[in-house]
Amino acid sequence: MTSDTYLLGTEPLELERLRLQHELWLPEARRAWRRADLAPGERVLDLGAGPGFVALELAREVGPAGRVLGLELSASYVEAARALGRGLSQLEVRCLDLSNDPLPVEPFDLVWCRWVLMFLPEVEPLLDRLAASLSPGARLVIHEYIHWSSFGLHPHGEAVGRFGAAAMASFQRAGGDTDVNRRLPSLLTARGFRVDELLPLTMVGRLGDGVARWLERFVTIYGRELIRCGQWSEDDGRRAEAEMATARQDPGSFWVGPTLMETRATRWAT
Ligand SMILES: C[S@@+](CC[C@H](N)C(=O)[O-])C[C@H]1O[C@@H](n2cnc3c(N)ncnc32)[C@H](O)[C@@H]1O
């Protein structure tokens, strides 16, 4: 993996996987922004912006009078995000390590974060920095997992299930916490945020639909990486591919995605 430190890598296949994942989850993200009253002219911070798919949508939401600042660890994703946002003066993307670097000193009305905190070995220092930099009234909208192990293919996805367990173990081994959102509400409350709403978000797919393709692609792409690192077997990889091919034709088979939670909170105290 020629990763610039993002566990899942930044190669074209992973970028395309992120695009598919983003397209699938965009309606849910938009519903979250409505619930958080995101409005034109607002200033948004996008934590762990990846290749910029969401930052671009956020920039359209806030319009030219607003501002979106995306922060991202991977230099190649920063470059991709900048190319995507070319021509939109309200969008800026910077290379920054959320684990160690100070946050930009400027006011934000809303902070958006999806599938990022799960990769950080420690979230507390970032939450401390966020609490210190946000003014009362600033909103936080987070989409992170609470039950990653709900991932699976049913009723005949035994090898896919073993892939899921290997993937989870690899995230933990790299210092992340797949179910980080189980801890966020209490960590935020302790730092002067009011938790406004907690919403479970999950997806079910079948017969090669968008959800099925998203989860299949994850098994195929990350499976190769796990095999390369000796954390999953070639034999099981072939079994998983066969299970997925069968499920594509079987109206009784279905996929369940890892369960996310939307955590919406407001900074209320200094
Ligand atoms: C699964 S992707 C999600 C990207 C984007 N948030 C989205 O919803 O499409 C995770 C992203 O988090 C970024 N990331 C991981 N650790 C980071 C860190 N310490 N600082 C900044 N970004 C980080 C990765 O480089 C990657 O782009």
Side-chain angles (χ1 to χ4, degrees), residues 5 16 53 56 70 73 99 106 111 127 129 142 146 165 218-219:
T5 63
E16 276 317 301
F53 303 129
L56 179 68
L73 180 66
S99 286
E106 63 172 271
V111 178
L127 298 182
R129 275 179 268 134
I142 299 174
I146 43 167
F218 180 58
V219 175

Side-chain angles (χ1 to χ4, degrees), residues 64-135:
R67 167 162 167 76
V68 175
L69 176 59
L71 303 177
E72 168 55 43
L73 180 66
S74 147
S76 62
Y77 278 172
V78 169
E79 213 175 292
R82 285 179 181 157
L84 210 57
R86 202 158 286 141
L88 284 181
S89 58
Q90 68 269 34
L91 174 58
E92 186 192 344
V93 184
R94 283 187 208 160
C95 207
L96 184 142
D97 180 356
L98 293 169
S99 286
N100 296 306
D101 295 336
L103 292 172
V105 183
E106 63 172 271
F108 290 102
D109 304 299
L110 187 141
V111 178
W112 163 255
C113 181
R114 184 177 70 174
W115 301 318
V116 175
L117 302 181
M118 62 180 283
F119 295 105
L120 304 188
E122 271 191 311
V123 287
E124 289 83 350
L126 172 61
L127 298 182
D128 287 341
R129 275 179 268 134
L130 268 179
S133 69
L134 293 174
S135 300

Side-chain angles (χ1 to χ4, degrees), residues 6-264:
Y6 166 44
L7 179 69
L8 302 184
T10 55
E11 287 156 16
L13 265 181
E14 171 60 10
L15 191 141
E16 276 317 301
R17 192 192 67 80
L18 285 180
R19 187 197 305 278
L20 176 71
Q21 177 169 268
H22 163 70
E23 282 165 5
L24 206 58
W25 283 94
L26 181 57
E28 207 57 77
R30 288 205 176 111
R31 282 193 280 275
W33 302 336
R34 295 287 88 77
R35 286 189 280 264
D37 296 322
L38 177 63
E42 288 202 302
R43 300 154 300 184
V44 178
L45 184 64
D46 179 2
L47 299 176
F53 303 129
V54 195
L56 179 68
E57 292 300 329
L58 284 165
R60 290 179 177 142
E61 294 274 336
V62 299
R67 167 162 167 76
V68 175
L69 176 59
L71 303 177
E72 168 55 43
L73 180 66
S74 147
S76 62
Y77 278 172
V78 169
E79 213 175 292
R82 285 179 181 157
L84 210 57
R86 202 158 286 141
L88 284 181
S89 58
Q90 68 269 34
L91 174 58
E92 186 192 344
V93 184
R94 283 187 208 160
C95 207
L96 184 142
D97 180 356
L98 293 169
S99 286
N100 296 306
D101 295 336
L103 292 172
V105 183
E106 63 172 271
F108 290 102
D109 304 299
L110 187 141
V111 178
W112 163 255
C113 181
R114 184 177 70 174
W115 301 318
V116 175
L117 302 181
M118 62 180 283
F119 295 105
L120 304 188
E122 271 191 311
V123 287
E124 289 83 350
L126 172 61
L127 298 182
D128 287 341
R129 275 179 268 134
L130 268 179
S133 69
L134 293 174
S135 300
R139 292 100 78 208
L140 201 51
V141 185
I142 299 174
H143 282 185
E144 296 280 348
Y145 295 115
I146 43 167
H147 200 119
W148 203 94
S149 59
S150 61
F151 165 87
L153 173 64
H154 305 289
H156 301 299
E158 290 77 9
V160 169
R162 288 190 290 275
F163 160 82
M168 250 186 113
S170 81
F171 291 145
Q172 315 289 114
R173 206 172 293 127
D177 175 4
T178 46
D179 295 332
V180 64
N181 213 350
R182 293 183 185 187
R183 297 187 283 129
L184 295 179
S186 93
L187 292 174
L188 289 169
T189 305
R191 285 163 176 78
F193 287 86
R194 180 190 70 225
V195 173
D196 298 313
E197 195 171 16
L198 303 176
L199 279 177
L201 306 171
T202 194
M203 283 198 181
V204 168
R206 58 197 285 266
L207 294 173
D209 66 7
V211 176
R213 286 201 305 280
W214 165 49
L215 297 171
E216 280 177 14
R217 207 166 290 192
F218 180 58
V219 175
T220 301
I221 297 176
Y222 197 49
R224 268 182 226 148
E225 182 58 22
L226 290 178
I227 291 169
R228 199 187 63 77
C229 301
Q231 293 172 27
W232 196 36
S233 74
E234 298 234 15
D235 190 38
D236 231 13
R238 278 191 290 274
R239 271 176 228 211
E241 290 297 333
E243 288 172 1
M244 296 192 292
T246 305
R248 247 171 260 140
Q249 314 295 328
D250 174 4
S253 282
F254 67 98
W255 285 91
V256 182
T259 308
L260 283 156
M261 185 166 77
E262 176 174 312
T263 297
R264 271 200 340 278

